[in-house]
Amino acid sequence: MAEAQKFCREYYDELATIFNAEDQIAALRAVSAQSLTDAIWVHSQYHAFWPQVDYWNLPDAKCVVHGHTAKVWILKYCLFSYNFVCQKSTQSNSELKYYMVQGSLTWKGAQTACRANGDDLASILTQEDYTAFQSITETQPFEMWIGLYWKTSTRMWEWSNGDPFPYCVSEPQLGASNCCSLTYKGHGQTENVTLEKIDCSLKRPFLCTGKKRIKQTIVRMSLKSNTGGDLNDPVVKEQMLEQFRKEFAKNGNFIQGLRWRDLPNGEVFRKTVELGSPDEGQCGSG
């Protein structure tokens, strides 16, 4: 994962980020074009201000409550009944963005109640949002529905108002991860693609975003053949290039288009003799 991200930042803009279903479809098309069927590294962000996710989540639960313990979100079955928090669709500078509703409803019932007032269940996208949300909930001794839920049709977490939740998950559990992959299964159907948390040290193909940046560097070197072999031999030259690629890769430096630079006579190396020494060397550049 770290190597993939370093490569993308050096030669493009960033490792591909999946924010919504459209991003997922676009990534899938790129994967399908290369006939890849393995997990693909993509970028995932989990904002530091978002609460921790409780480890004691109910299996297959797909709706989220804000716990009465600070900074905790918990997965609950959507048919359970809880109090809930709505957010205003419009607000003036003097108004609070969120308001709490007393009375227990299912997640869908809470969503309907908020929308009946022209509003929606609470979504929390920024640090400012969470600060405002906390100002009305931090002293409450009960759990409350928020707008976050698992959308089965897109196989992604989403807020009730349609805002994306850019964050890697392993269905059906909600959990943060530093390393995220787009796992491709099947023959191009989007329902067979999911975002999953996997070991950051695994080797996987990856997707980058942004326009490719071309960087060219010419390195001049002197080499000595201990066996007296011809360094201009095509097989020898390719073996040396492959060895250079491996050495660069050990430090996370991936070189694209590594090649030898030909001299006017069509060769790469020219023989040189060091003064005062019987040994011959060969110089070239790549």
Side-chain angles (χ1 to χ4, degrees):
M1 176 66 167
E3 293 172 343
Q5 191 168 57
K6 181 177 181 179
F7 179 93
C8 289
R9 289 176 176 176
E10 182 172 356
Y11 291 101
Y12 294 87
D13 289 338
E14 181 57 90
L15 195 63
T17 301
I18 307 297
F19 281 112
N20 51 43
E22 288 72 26
D23 290 343
Q24 184 167 300
I25 292 172
L28 173 61
R29 288 173 180 164
V31 171
S32 299
Q34 299 297 322
S35 300
L36 298 174
T37 58
D38 204 349
I40 309 298
W41 284 127
V42 291
H43 189 53
S44 172
Q45 291 181 329
Y46 184 83
H47 295 308
F49 62 82
W50 278 336
Q52 296 177 351
V53 180
D54 189 37
Y55 288 104
W56 299 103
N57 287 309
L58 296 170
D60 299 320
K62 292 180 169 62
C63 294
V64 179
V65 296
H66 181 80
H68 57 78
T69 302
K71 299 285 281 183
V72 175
W73 284 348
I74 308 169
L75 274 176
K76 297 288 187 179
Y77 295 125
C78 302
L79 294 178
F80 284 2
S81 293
Y82 293 98
N83 293 292
F84 53 99
V85 179
C86 302
Q87 75 176 61
K88 295 181 179 180
S89 56
T90 59
Q91 67 176 123
S92 66
N93 293 334
S94 60
E95 290 182 318
L96 292 175
K97 181 173 184 176
Y98 304 99
Y99 60 93
M100 196 162 42
V101 180
Q102 298 293 336
S104 296
L105 293 175
T106 65
W107 189 91
K108 187 66 177 178
Q111 182 190 55
T112 300
C114 291
R115 290 180 175 180
N117 295 323
D119 302 322
D120 212 325
L121 273 173
S123 62
I124 303 167
L125 304 180
T126 66
Q127 176 67 66
E128 291 73 22
D129 286 348
Y130 190 69
T131 299
F133 180 88
Q134 281 288 84
S135 69
I136 67 167
T137 61
E138 61 184 352
T139 61
Q140 302 303 319
F142 41 77
E143 297 170 338
M144 295 160 285
W145 286 127
I146 58 175
L148 189 60
Y149 74 108
W150 176 261
K151 190 173 183 178
T152 304
S153 61
T154 59
R155 296 171 63 85
M156 297 182 71
W157 291 95
E158 188 174 293
W159 294 102
S160 175
N161 65 359
D163 285 328
F165 190 58
Y167 150 83
C168 190
V169 299
S170 287
E171 186 187 2
Q173 294 298 309
L174 182 65
S177 173
N178 291 326
C179 296
C180 183
S181 73
L182 180 69
T183 300
Y184 172 79
K185 301 172 183 177
H187 302 285
Q189 300 95 331
T190 56
E191 62 268 20
N192 289 330
V193 179
T194 185
L195 293 172
E196 294 183 350
K197 297 176 291 184
I198 60 176
D199 187 344
C200 301
S201 66
L202 295 175
K203 301 289 184 179
R204 291 290 184 267
F206 55 95
L207 299 176
C208 300
T209 59
K211 188 176 181 180
K212 183 178 180 180
R213 293 191 290 268
I214 299 176
K215 298 170 64 176
Q216 185 178 42
T217 302
I218 298 175
V219 179
R220 189 172 178 82
M221 63 183 68
S222 295
L223 300 175
K224 179 183 290 187
S225 173
N226 294 327
T227 62
D230 182 8
L231 298 185
N232 285 306
D233 184 302
V235 175
V236 175
K237 290 191 294 183
E238 183 55 37
Q239 289 175 343
M240 287 191 289
L241 284 179
E242 183 59 28
Q243 186 61 37
F244 292 147
R245 293 187 188 100
K246 291 179 180 179
E247 291 300 319
F248 282 123
K250 288 180 181 179
N251 297 320
N253 298 307
F254 297 90
I255 309 299
Q256 287 187 316
L258 185 64
R259 63 183 179 84
W260 296 113
R261 188 182 187 191
D262 292 337
L263 295 169
N265 63 0
E267 295 184 339
V268 171
F269 294 96
R270 58 183 177 82
K271 291 184 178 182
T272 61
V273 179
E274 297 178 8
L275 295 178
S277 170
D279 298 327
E280 286 188 347
Q282 300 186 58
C283 294
S285 61

